[in-house]
């Protein structure tokens, strides 16, 4: 007998070996039809994702995976990538297939072909995919000897696939998946038949070097998306349309905020309006420092390479460090601020009574990111962090971590974000420090989130090389996730750099060091703000609060007077005194996402009033200038 334990704790017994599909059907025909895969666990081992045809030969725990599950959606998307390759081979037999993994919200497949695929080709491929899916061909798994599999693909003219298989150790079995006339290398699992693949769309074609090496052939990468339902796909496509409208690179040009150019790859040229946004963010964060016990400091931009070797950065991060030389001495342009902060801590001996010591810096960093990874303000080579480091005792660790989470939540709320995801990233394979130290650090972070009442997930192996971390991820206006803040527990770097304090027994101890940032990179956070608000930033962040437009030349002096009076109150105000029609002025300033447009004519001049228009064509009517000023100041002060 084989006993199967289901997720709800119920058990089913079968007279002999049983497939995942048979178990699903025994529960109900509806589940049998919906099943895409199974998650099997034997004797407490790690759950194994398997095909529905997988045969369970001994007692096990089993969860049936459908398209409603995250794993099921991945299976669906991976199977759609294979369907894409199947369709390409049907239409373009000379094309060679390479790899086709699942990615966020979809999949891609790389092909080698004699000419570029066109938009018309994509339409034809998508149509062929639909035809193949409707044939509902069974997808079967086959296990081959490695050398025989290599020969199989060479005989088919698939040299790339043969190269991949040849690199696999000879003692490992090779799993192939077959659907109709198409066969492909894959670990699986896959859907039981092509008919399960119903909702998909091909998105675009891009170039990609074979194995990511620019010395190799440029392949053609076809991107696609796949979903369980049409509604989910429609929502995703709508989100993409919104994301394109909100793209910070486009809005940066249209709103005259910043630009990029080839002479400074990965670096930003800030224009006056964009730099005004920056200043509002920095001034706000400086007040956060002042109100929460941080001492603002400034460390050098370059440090002798010997220091980066002491910290472990050179051994673990050297490919990302820009270097320079002077008088036969090598220096590293700082990729992060922590070693400099330790030097400031080390400049004198501290008592335990002084701890925790909290340092904060708006620290400019540079990292030698690959050119292909650069992406507007989201991935740059030069950036500024709202970087802070807390030196504390082990006893203070929990309190400092919980305190930071509470502070971060308030800051994000002020910027308009209340939906935060929490993730604890644990020890990576490449790390420094003992397992005992890592145990302490990971436990401290998890307990601090529990104390703050935060649900979290664990991301195994994604910590920094010197310590685990909490990653704080924000959800924006169109449902996208952005990882911004972080706090990292570090027992190793203070010891490596000789940081010490004197404890209550007059003994010298090494402090625990917390690396923390709320916004992370200013550049990335501002880019995220621009996209979240589609360029229409809240008044307190907006480059300009209002523009005063005169209707005619006769009211130009009054318009200038209004702008001067409001500016004297600390508001960011411009006057548009051009001789253009007022409708054109209103249209142009509306397109510039101006929070308020003040229209003045002879009547307003006589009464000391302004006609106020808000964003989105909102007509607030005529009001005394003092009333408008009070309204705007309240909006700024409360960060509405």
């Amino acid at each position: 007998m084989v006993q199967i334990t289901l997720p709800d704790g119920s058990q089913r017994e079968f007279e002999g070996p049983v497939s995942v599909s048979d178990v699903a059907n025994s529960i109900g025909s509806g589940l049998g039809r919906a099943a895409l895969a199974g998650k099997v666990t034997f004797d407490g081992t790690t759950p194994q994702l398997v095909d529905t045809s997988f045969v369970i030969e001994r007692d096990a725990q089993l969860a049936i995976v459908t398209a409603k599950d995250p794993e099921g959606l991945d299976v669906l998307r991976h199977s759609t990538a294979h369907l894409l390759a199947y369709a390409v081979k049907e239409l373009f037999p000379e094309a060679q297939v390479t790899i086709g993994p699942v990615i966020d919200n979809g999949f891609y497949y790389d092909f080698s072909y004699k000419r570029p695929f066109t938009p018309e080709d994509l339409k034809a491929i998508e149509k062929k995919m639909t035809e193949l899916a409707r044939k509902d061909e069974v997808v079967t798994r086959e296990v081959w000897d490695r050398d025989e599999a290599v020969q199989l693909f060479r005989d088919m003219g698939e040299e790339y696939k043969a190269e991949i298989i040849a690199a696999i150790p000879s003692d490992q079995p090779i799993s192939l998946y077959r659907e109709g006339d198409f066969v492909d290398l894959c670990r699986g699992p896959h859907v039981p038949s092509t008919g399960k693949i119903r909702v998909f769309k091909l998105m675009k074609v891009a170039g990609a070097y074979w194995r990511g090496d620019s010395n190799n052939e440029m392949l053609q990468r076809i991107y696609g998306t796949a979903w369980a339902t049409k509604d989910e796909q429609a929502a995703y496509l709508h989100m993409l349309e919104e994301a394109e409208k909100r793209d910070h690179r486009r809005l940066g040009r249209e709103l005259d905020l910043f630009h990029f150019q080839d002479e400074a790859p990965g670096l930003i040229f800030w224009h006056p309006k964009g730099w005004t946004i920056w200043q509002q963010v920095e001034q706000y964060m400086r007040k956060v420092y002042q109100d929460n016990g941080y001492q603002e400091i400034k460390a050098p931009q370059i440090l002798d390479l010997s220091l980066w070797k002491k910290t472990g950065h050179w051994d673990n991060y050297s490919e990302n460090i820009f270097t320079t030389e002077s008088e036969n001495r090598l220096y590293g342009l700082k990729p992060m601020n922590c070693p400099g902060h330790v030097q400031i801590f080390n400049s004198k001996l501290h008592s335990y009574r002084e701890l925790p010591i909290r340092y904060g810096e708006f620290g400019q960093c540079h990292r030698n990111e690959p050119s292909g990874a650069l992406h507007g303000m989201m991935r740059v080579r030069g950036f500024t962090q709202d970087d802070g480091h807390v030196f504390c005792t082990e006893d203070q660790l929990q309190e400092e971590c919980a305190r930071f989470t509470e502070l971060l939540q308030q800051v994000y709320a002020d910027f308009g974000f209340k939906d935060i995801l929490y993730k604890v990233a644990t020890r990576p394979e490449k790390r420094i420090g003992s397992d005992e130290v890592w145990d302490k650090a990971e436990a401290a972070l998890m307990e601090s989130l529990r104390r703050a009442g935060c649900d979290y997930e664990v991301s195994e192996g994604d910590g920094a090389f010197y310590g685990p971390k909490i990653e704080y991820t924000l959800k924006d206006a169109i449902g996208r996730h952005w990882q911004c803040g972080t706090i990292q527990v570090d027992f190793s770097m203070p010891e490596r750099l000789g940081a010490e304090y004197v404890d209550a027994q007059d003994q010298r101890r090494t402090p625990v060091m917390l690396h923390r940032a709320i916004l992370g990179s200013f550049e990335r956070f501002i880019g995220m703000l621009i996209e979240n608000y589609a360029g229409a930033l809240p008044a307190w962040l907006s480059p300009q609060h209002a523009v005063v437009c005169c209707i005619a030349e006769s009211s130009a002096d009054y318009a200038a007077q209004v702008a001067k009076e409001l500016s004297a109150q600390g508001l960011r105000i411009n006057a548009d005194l051009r001789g253009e029609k007022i409708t054109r002025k209103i249209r142009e300033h509306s397109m510039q996402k101006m929070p308020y447009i003040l229209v003045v004519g002879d009547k307003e001049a006589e009464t000391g009033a302004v006609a106020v228009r808000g964003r989105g064509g909102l007509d607030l009517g005529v009001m005394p200038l003092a009333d408008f000023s009070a309204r705007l100041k309240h909006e700024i002060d409360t960060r509405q």
Side-chain angles (χ1 to χ4, degrees), residues 30-319:
L31 183 61
R33 289 191 298 272
L36 298 180
K39 198 189 304 185
V40 182
T41 307
F42 295 106
D43 302 325
T45 58
T46 302
Q48 178 184 356
L49 200 61
V50 298
D51 299 297
T52 57
S53 60
F54 180 83
V55 175
I56 304 171
E57 299 181 341
R58 56 193 173 95
D59 294 354
Q61 295 174 303
L62 172 65
I64 304 299
V65 175
T66 71
K68 294 179 181 179
D69 302 306
E71 301 96 335
L73 196 51
D74 281 350
V75 169
L76 196 63
R77 287 171 175 162
H78 198 178
S79 300
T80 311
H82 278 231
L83 186 68
L84 164 61
Y86 186 3
V88 168
K89 290 296 291 183
E90 288 281 299
L91 294 173
F92 309 98
E94 295 179 10
Q96 290 193 59
V97 297
T98 63
I99 58 171
V102 172
I103 56 175
D104 287 345
N105 300 311
F107 59 90
Y108 70 76
Y109 214 115
D110 290 347
F111 301 94
S112 173
Y113 191 52
K114 59 188 176 184
R115 65 164 177 81
F117 290 125
T118 66
E120 290 72 25
D121 291 334
L122 283 195
K123 291 179 183 177
I125 295 167
E126 191 174 298
K127 182 179 179 182
K128 176 58 71 174
M129 290 171 67
T130 301
E131 293 174 4
L132 295 171
R134 285 175 178 164
K135 291 172 70 174
D136 197 22
E137 295 178 313
V138 174
V139 179
T140 57
R141 182 176 185 268
E142 303 173 0
V143 178
W144 285 60
D145 170 78
R146 186 201 66 175
D147 293 340
E148 291 177 352
V150 169
Q151 192 59 50
L152 171 70
F153 281 96
R154 282 183 177 153
D155 290 344
M156 292 191 296
E158 298 288 354
E159 294 299 329
Y160 290 92
K161 199 65 76 171
E163 181 181 327
I164 294 171
I165 299 171
I168 298 172
S170 59
D171 60 343
Q172 291 189 16
I174 304 299
S175 63
L176 306 180
Y177 280 82
R178 189 182 299 274
E179 50 197 275
D181 296 328
F182 180 70
V183 62
D184 201 356
L185 167 73
C186 192
R187 289 193 183 95
H190 281 283
V191 295
S193 68
T194 59
K196 301 291 185 184
I197 304 170
R198 299 187 181 95
V199 183
F200 55 85
K201 182 175 179 57
L202 299 185
M203 307 298 292
K204 63 179 181 179
V205 181
Y209 291 110
W210 170 235
R211 295 192 180 280
D213 187 339
S214 60
N215 294 315
N216 292 337
E217 179 191 352
M218 175 69 79
L219 305 174
Q220 296 187 71
R221 177 169 293 176
I222 298 179
Y223 286 93
T225 189
W227 297 84
T229 68
K230 290 182 179 179
D231 286 347
E232 289 173 324
Q233 179 163 286
Y236 172 68
L237 296 177
H238 176 70
M239 186 273 288
L240 289 184
E241 290 175 7
E242 279 295 307
E244 187 174 350
K245 294 176 189 175
R246 296 164 180 261
D247 190 309
H248 71 279
R249 294 165 297 182
R250 181 176 66 82
L251 289 170
R253 292 190 302 271
E254 293 177 356
L255 303 180
D256 192 25
L257 303 178
F258 54 82
H259 80 272
F260 301 88
Q261 63 187 62
D262 290 342
E263 288 79 2
L267 302 170
I268 301 172
F269 291 82
W270 288 96
H271 299 194
K273 289 169 66 177
W275 194 243
T276 299
I277 299 172
W278 175 288
Q279 289 298 317
Q280 303 319 302
V281 174
E282 182 176 328
Q283 289 165 21
Y284 169 86
M285 290 306 300
R286 180 163 283 117
K287 185 71 163 54
V288 168
Y289 280 175
Q290 293 168 354
D291 292 346
N292 290 276
Y294 286 86
Q295 303 172 67
E296 188 175 340
I297 58 176
K298 190 71 174 175
Q301 284 295 111
I302 63 172
L303 295 167
D304 191 285
L305 218 57
S306 63
L307 187 61
W308 298 111
K309 290 178 179 178
K310 282 184 183 178
T311 63
H313 285 94
W314 189 251
D315 290 337
N316 294 275
Y317 202 72
S318 58
E319 67 276 8

Side-chain angles (χ1 to χ4, degrees), residues 379-581:
R379 191 75 175 267
V380 291
R381 286 177 172 164
F383 58 95
T384 298
Q385 292 178 312
D386 65 314
D387 207 1
H389 293 89
V390 179
F391 297 87
C392 63
T393 67
E394 280 193 48
D395 291 341
Q396 295 168 331
L397 183 55
Q398 295 286 351
E399 176 64 27
E400 285 301 307
C401 290
R403 174 189 175 124
F404 175 72
T405 294
E406 292 173 3
L407 174 61
L408 173 140
Q409 289 168 338
Q410 181 56 57
V411 170
Y412 287 167
D414 284 347
F415 281 104
F417 300 103
K418 295 184 180 178
D419 195 348
I420 308 172
L421 305 178
Y422 304 89
K423 182 184 294 184
V424 178
T426 59
R427 68 197 75 185
E429 287 188 18
K430 192 176 182 181
R431 62 182 183 269
I432 57 178
S434 68
D435 286 343
E436 181 184 3
V437 162
W438 278 87
D439 289 341
K440 286 181 186 177
E442 290 170 359
L445 291 180
M446 293 178 189
E447 180 59 26
S448 74
L449 287 176
R450 284 192 286 267
R451 284 178 54 185
C454 302
D455 294 329
Y456 64 89
E457 62 180 77
V458 176
S459 182
E460 298 287 353
D462 285 341
F465 70 87
Y466 49 78
K469 58 185 175 179
I470 301 173
E471 294 177 343
Y472 303 86
T473 299
L474 300 180
K475 187 176 180 181
D476 73 6
I478 58 174
R480 296 173 301 179
H481 290 164
W482 304 89
Q483 195 272 306
C484 295
T486 183
I487 186 167
Q488 304 166 358
V489 179
D490 188 351
F491 284 86
S492 298
M493 191 179 298
E495 183 177 8
R496 285 184 167 221
L497 296 183
E500 293 180 328
Y501 69 95
V502 178
D503 69 10
Q505 285 73 45
D506 206 30
Q507 299 293 313
R508 293 199 176 195
R509 303 286 185 188
T510 301
V512 181
M513 183 178 181
L514 301 179
H515 309 248
R516 44 105 294 169
I518 298 177
L519 308 184
S521 156
F522 268 42
E523 289 77 1
R524 187 170 185 269
F525 191 78
I526 291 173
M528 190 189 79
L529 284 173
I530 291 169
E531 296 200 1
N532 181 62
Y533 290 106
L537 293 168
W540 73 279
L541 287 170
S542 184
Q544 293 175 232
H545 294 135
V547 61
V548 188
C549 299
C550 58
I551 294 176
E553 187 176 347
S554 60
S555 54
D557 288 346
Y558 177 64
Q561 178 188 330
V562 167
K564 183 177 181 180
E565 185 174 333
L566 292 175
S567 296
Q569 298 175 37
L571 300 172
R572 298 188 289 277
I573 310 293
N574 275 0
D576 186 344
L577 308 179
R578 296 175 300 162
E580 300 286 354
K581 291 182 178 180

